Amino acid sequence: MSINSTSSKRFNRVENILIIGNGGRENSLAWAIQKNELVKKVFLIPGNAGSERINKCERIKIDINNKNKLVEKLEFLNVDLVVIGPEIPLANGLADYLRKKDFKVFGPGKDGAKLEYSKSWAKEFMQKANIPTANFWKVNSLEEAKKIIHSSSMPLVVKVDGLASGKGVFIPDSKDECLKAAESIFNGKFGKSGNLVVLEEKIYGPEVSVFALCDGKKYILLPTAQDHKRLKEKDKGPNTGGMGAYSPAPLITKEYLNRIVQEIVEPTINQLNSQNIDYKGVIYFGLMITNSGPKVIEYNCRFGDPECQTIMPLMDQNFVFLLEKCSMGNLTGDEKIDTSDKLSGCVIATSKGYPYEYKTGLPIKIGNIDSNDCQIFDSGTSLSENGELLTDGGRVLSIVCQDDDFDKVFDKAYKNLKEINFNGIYFRNDIGHQVRKNFSKNN
Ligand code: AMP
Ligand code: GLY
């Protein structure tokens, strides 16, 4: 499908870019986008306190749910391309709305976002296309769940069908815990999102994140990444949004990536096409590398956070053109991302108590940070009335460094982290342990 627009003024132009979202992910996208000399302004709605520290960036205060006002503002700002960061506006159809109003948008419509906002739909989608994934049961009631849990000989994972801010997946250690998880969901803990539950076979292996920028038909892959979802060192403790990441993931060799493309990426895009879904945005494949090959754990309709902060510094200035081409449906698929030869790693500094309750509004002190190959992308910060930087979220700052081996990458990240302080700051010391040759010596 080609873009159907009457306002040619917006074509082949990347002067004014708008990014929707307020996290470290969106700040890193802005940072990579502004590198292109044709880009004059990057607007963020709403962004956070770190956004305006990035070259060319400006925050805009406007409610994205007030769609008329939003369109008026985008017209006024002469926005050439809209990049939608988080899943919720995508699931609510914001991309569809803005496309109807003639804007170029990077981000799938509501139909494509369903890959993320309905786990049962995504599982059925994979089943139809023979895409490797864990076996599953779609369950409508607690009675049904109980029957399956009691009769199953294998450990099961319990998942809320709808969006649950990363909190809707339970990995129980026993049938009892499994039943309790199903009970809590059907008792309404997740509201409407939990009207449906997916029970899944538990599978095993390292996880990897693969990102395909997609124009509806063609796609181009970004460097792979590995995320650390658990709060505590040695990958223990509760799941979080992500405590750190590194890219590219050496676990995924060129040959293995080819296998992932053949078995997962291309069948996914073909299946989207066969269901008439014109997906213009990023498809995030959350994969588990099992003994029997790669399997899809989940799809997301957005960039991963903190994978995005980790990957963006590897992008050259053409990154914005890739987003624009996706939005217009004119990727050739042969575009080369001229990534730097460097490797990248990210450590997230969180508030004490995250992913549960935590305080906000605590002053952040930042000392001397390396100016080369080291970025701080604010994840959850605000400014006090007198301009002091304050904590404003569970994940507060993303510290990202690049170098030519992962030991140097993480030495630099942890050295710079020592320059950052706020009351209750917490981070894992073992991010990248899989790829740091000196890690065991240091610890
Ligand atoms: P999701 O939100 O679906 O990505 O799940 C969050 C995390 O739960 C994943 O990153 C995995 O670590 C874990 N997980 C999800 N599904 C499974 C499964 N079927 N088997 C084992 N672990 C899983
Ligand atoms: N890093 C995991 C996520 O963005 O869902």
Side-chain angles (χ1 to χ4, degrees):
M1 194 181 109
S2 63
I3 285 262
N4 173 16
S5 171
T6 48
S7 55
S8 56
K9 72 182 168 95
R10 294 197 186 103
F11 279 12
N12 300 313
R13 278 185 46 167
V14 291
E15 277 182 21
N16 297 313
I17 312 293
L18 170 79
I19 300 176
I20 292 178
N22 69 348
R25 170 180 52 205
E26 286 75 21
N27 282 333
S28 70
L29 286 168
W31 186 89
I33 286 171
Q34 61 75 32
K35 272 190 192 172
N36 189 300
E37 61 191 14
L38 296 178
V39 172
K40 289 196 174 139
K41 269 279 182 199
V42 183
F43 302 104
L44 290 104
I45 302 181
N48 63 33
S51 305
E52 289 182 349
R53 290 203 308 270
I54 301 169
N55 196 20
K56 306 181 193 174
C57 287
E58 183 181 328
R59 296 178 69 185
I60 305 288
K61 275 203 193 108
I62 191 169
D63 175 8
I64 58 166
N65 296 313
N66 187 340
K67 293 202 175 117
N68 289 338
K69 277 252 161 64
L70 177 66
V71 165
E72 245 173 55
K73 189 76 183 178
L74 301 197
E75 293 284 0
F76 175 78
L77 296 171
N78 249 315
V79 164
D80 297 308
L81 172 67
V82 181
V83 180
I84 304 180
E87 64 277 17
I88 292 178
L90 292 166
N92 289 339
L94 183 61
D96 304 288
Y97 183 82
L98 292 177
R99 281 195 184 102
K100 276 203 197 103
K101 296 285 175 191
D102 248 0
F103 288 97
K104 290 187 286 183
V105 182
F106 181 86
K110 192 170 177 160
D111 52 1
K114 201 161 188 180
L115 281 180
E116 177 163 358
Y117 77 75
S118 171
K119 290 202 189 278
S120 61
W121 188 85
K123 293 298 273 189
E124 283 165 353
F125 174 96
M126 287 184 258
Q127 204 170 36
K128 280 183 215 149
N130 232 343
I131 293 169
T133 187
N135 291 321
F136 73 103
W137 297 261
K138 179 174 161 182
V139 177
N140 285 298
S141 70
L142 184 57
E143 284 60 48
E144 224 181 307
K146 279 183 179 164
K147 263 192 220 151
I148 294 163
I149 294 167
H150 282 305
S151 63
S152 168
S153 56
M154 52 189 167
L156 296 176
V157 171
V158 186
K159 297 187 175 182
V160 171
D161 184 62
L163 294 178
S165 315
K167 296 191 177 121
V169 174
F170 297 83
I171 323 257
D173 284 325
S174 63
K175 280 198 181 189
D176 227 34
E177 274 186 31
C178 197
L179 284 167
K180 277 195 188 128
E183 246 165 39
S184 74
I185 301 171
F186 282 115
N187 284 342
K189 185 171 174 195
F190 294 89
K192 262 197 191 161
S193 284
N195 285 352
L196 207 62
V197 162
V198 172
L199 294 174
E200 231 175 74
E201 166 202 10
K202 186 170 180 180
I203 56 176
Y204 301 88
E207 290 177 52
V208 63
S209 308
V210 172
F211 299 94
L213 305 181
C214 187
D215 80 341
K217 297 249 175 329
K218 303 230 169 62
Y219 70 94
I220 169 158
L221 294 183
L222 294 184
T224 54
Q226 266 185 291
D227 180 17
H228 294 64
K229 289 213 167 99
R230 302 294 197 98
L231 179 70
K232 297 203 173 146
E233 281 157 23
K234 301 201 165 74
D235 294 313
K236 299 229 157 50
N239 261 330
T240 68
M243 297 297 294
Y246 58 88
S247 171
L251 174 72
I252 305 303
T253 59
K254 213 170 162 194
E255 291 70 43
Y256 206 87
L257 189 60
N258 278 338
R259 179 170 180 189
I260 291 172
V261 164
Q262 299 308 321
E263 294 181 14
I264 293 173
V265 176
E266 293 192 349
T268 298
I269 294 171
N270 293 339
Q271 184 63 24
L272 285 167
N273 276 307
S274 74
Q275 296 188 203
N276 285 324
I277 297 175
D278 185 29
Y279 195 108
K280 291 180 161 60
V282 61
I283 309 175
Y284 165 165
F285 301 84
L287 305 180
M288 197 170 260
I289 309 303
T290 71
N291 287 338
S292 55
K295 292 191 177 176
V296 178
I297 286 273
E298 63 165 349
Y299 288 116
N300 291 311
C301 61
R302 54 175 172 84
F303 290 100
D305 182 331
E307 294 98 318
C308 189
Q309 293 94 304
T310 315
I311 294 170
M312 284 305 115
L314 301 175
M315 297 290 103
D316 68 4
Q317 60 152 346
N318 292 323
F319 177 66
V320 67
F321 293 138
L322 296 176
L323 302 183
E324 196 222 10
K325 283 183 170 192
C326 287
S327 77
M328 295 174 68
N330 65 9
L331 269 185
T332 65
D334 294 328
E335 287 86 355
K336 291 270 169 293
I337 300 184
D338 191 13
T339 61
S340 81
D341 292 334
K342 293 195 169 145
L343 310 169
S344 187
C346 168
V347 182
I348 298 284
T350 68
S351 298
K352 183 177 172 190
Y354 173 77
Y356 307 115
E357 299 213 333
Y358 52 82
K359 281 191 192 148
T360 58
L362 303 169
I364 304 172
K365 296 273 169 276
I366 302 185
N368 277 334
I369 299 292
D370 282 342
S371 51
N372 252 345
D373 287 338
C374 182
Q375 306 81 33
I376 297 185
F377 297 123
D378 292 32
S379 292
T381 62
S382 63
L383 289 179
S384 70
E385 270 171 20
N386 55 10
E388 190 179 21
L389 191 65
L390 304 174
T391 66
D392 195 27
R395 292 191 291 176
V396 178
L397 295 168
S398 322
I399 292 81
V400 192
C401 293
Q402 298 79 46
D403 215 314
D404 48 23
D405 74 46
F406 280 119
D407 286 299
K408 290 187 198 154
V409 163
F410 284 102
D411 283 350
K412 202 189 286 181
Y414 285 110
K415 179 187 124 218
N416 282 288
L417 251 167
K418 286 199 183 124
E419 297 289 319
I420 296 174
N421 208 6
F422 54 87
N423 202 340
I425 185 172
Y426 171 77
F427 52 86
R428 277 179 58 167
N429 276 298
D430 67 343
I431 300 298
H433 59 84
Q434 305 92 324
V435 291
R436 287 159 67 186
K437 292 197 183 70
N438 295 333
F439 179 71
S440 49
K441 274 186 247 153
N442 291 342
N443 290 273

